[in-house]
Amino acid sequence: MKKILTILADGFEEIEAIAVADVLKRAGFSVCLAGLDTLCVRGAHDMKITADCLLSEIKNETFDAIYLPGGLPGATNLLESETVGEILKKTANNGGIVSAICAAPIVLAKHGLLEGKTFTMYPGFDDYLNGLRPTGNPAESCDRVVTGKGPGAVFAFAEKLSSALGTDLKNLYNGMFVEL
């Protein structure tokens, strides 16, 4: 069973974290929700989610994919974490998938993981992209990097991430996911 690490930082976008984790679990993946600094993580809309573990407890484990939900200040909290950067680079260097949605692709950009890639993200974060330009599409998958535009694209994003991990959700759910 392929393992996906979802990192939750205070201020994460709730629908991006929970909907994507739910779809991936239904598709048969093992999904670990790790709190960046605490087990009880507060979302951008003041919902509290209890993580499975702290990131510090599993930072040396190997995962097939890393997923960063967006939201503010969740994405900037992830951006400031050296541990998140180390885990992303380790996963990418080992052939794993790195993925982010909404504002969180700024974290991938900081660590050079969007260079030469087709990607998308929530508009308005150009200052973090070092001249790179997102497509504006709902979701993109390019060379083991998967990105999504925002909350309205969670299913398109989950489908791209699942496909990058080898499971086609269109066949699994008989057209349950709508093309955007």
Side-chain angles (χ1 to χ4, degrees):
M1 178 182 299
K2 292 189 178 175
K3 295 172 31 178
I4 303 165
L5 172 62
T6 300
I7 305 173
L8 303 178
D10 279 333
F12 71 95
E13 176 59 52
E14 294 92 341
I15 195 168
E16 293 168 358
I18 301 307
V20 172
D22 181 82
V23 169
L24 295 171
K25 283 185 176 219
R26 289 173 189 243
F29 298 107
S30 170
V31 178
C32 175
L33 301 176
L36 179 62
D37 298 313
T38 182
L39 283 176
C40 183
V41 189
R42 184 181 305 271
H45 301 99
D46 211 28
M47 294 180 189
K48 296 176 191 164
I49 301 296
T50 302
D52 299 318
C53 61
L54 291 172
L55 184 61
S56 60
E57 297 170 346
I58 50 98
K59 68 180 183 179
N60 295 321
E61 289 186 29
T62 300
F63 292 88
D64 297 291
I66 307 298
Y67 168 52
L68 306 177
L72 291 175
T76 53
N77 288 335
L78 294 170
L79 183 72
E80 295 168 2
S81 169
E82 289 181 30
T83 303
V84 170
E86 290 167 8
I87 290 170
L88 286 168
K89 289 177 193 173
K90 174 185 154 189
T91 301
N93 290 338
N94 290 338
I97 295 168
V98 294
S99 63
I101 195 169
C102 196
I106 64 174
V107 183
L108 302 181
K110 176 182 178 178
H111 298 287
L113 298 169
L114 294 180
E115 292 290 329
K117 307 287 189 247
T118 300
F119 73 98
T120 192
M121 65 180 293
Y122 198 81
F125 291 90
D126 294 347
D127 291 347
Y128 294 92
L129 299 178
N130 302 316
L132 300 173
R133 295 283 176 237
T135 65
N137 292 330
E140 295 284 359
S141 181
C142 181
D143 298 330
R144 308 195 65 72
V145 173
V146 180
T147 53
K149 188 171 182 179
V154 293
F155 293 110
F157 173 83
E159 185 173 12
K160 292 273 188 194
L161 181 52
S162 181
S163 179
L165 287 162
T167 299
D168 185 354
L169 293 181
K170 288 181 182 177
N171 293 335
L172 190 64
Y173 290 108
N174 296 324
M176 175 176 145
F177 295 96
V178 198
E179 293 292 327
L180 298 176

